[in-house]
Amino acid sequence: MLGIVLGPAAMVCGWLAMGRAWSGARPTAAVVALVLGAIDTLLAIIWLSGAATPGFGMI
C-alpha cells in the first residue's frame, strides 16, 4: 500500500543523488534507487487498478 508513496520518494532521492543529470558518472546506488522506485510505483499503480475492478481485487 505504501508503494504509491515510497516509490516516487525513492525516485526523487535517486534523482537527487545522481546530481539531477543523466550524463556523467552516476553512483550505482542512485541508479538502483531510481529503477526500484520506478518499478515500485508501476506495481503499486497496477495493484491499485486491479483492486478497483470488481471481483479481481485482493481482499
Side-chain angles (χ1 to χ4, degrees):
M1 172 114 83
L2 288 177
I4 198 71
V5 175
L6 296 178
M11 290 172 53
V12 168
C13 289
W15 178 258
L16 292 175
M18 285 183 359
R20 295 184 225 162
W22 288 107
S23 62
R26 293 176 285 224
T28 305
V31 175
V32 168
L34 190 67
V35 169
L36 288 179
I39 290 171
D40 187 33
T41 303
L42 181 66
L43 289 177
I45 290 171
I46 291 171
W47 180 76
L48 284 173
S49 67
T53 59
F56 294 108
M58 298 176 71
I59 296 175

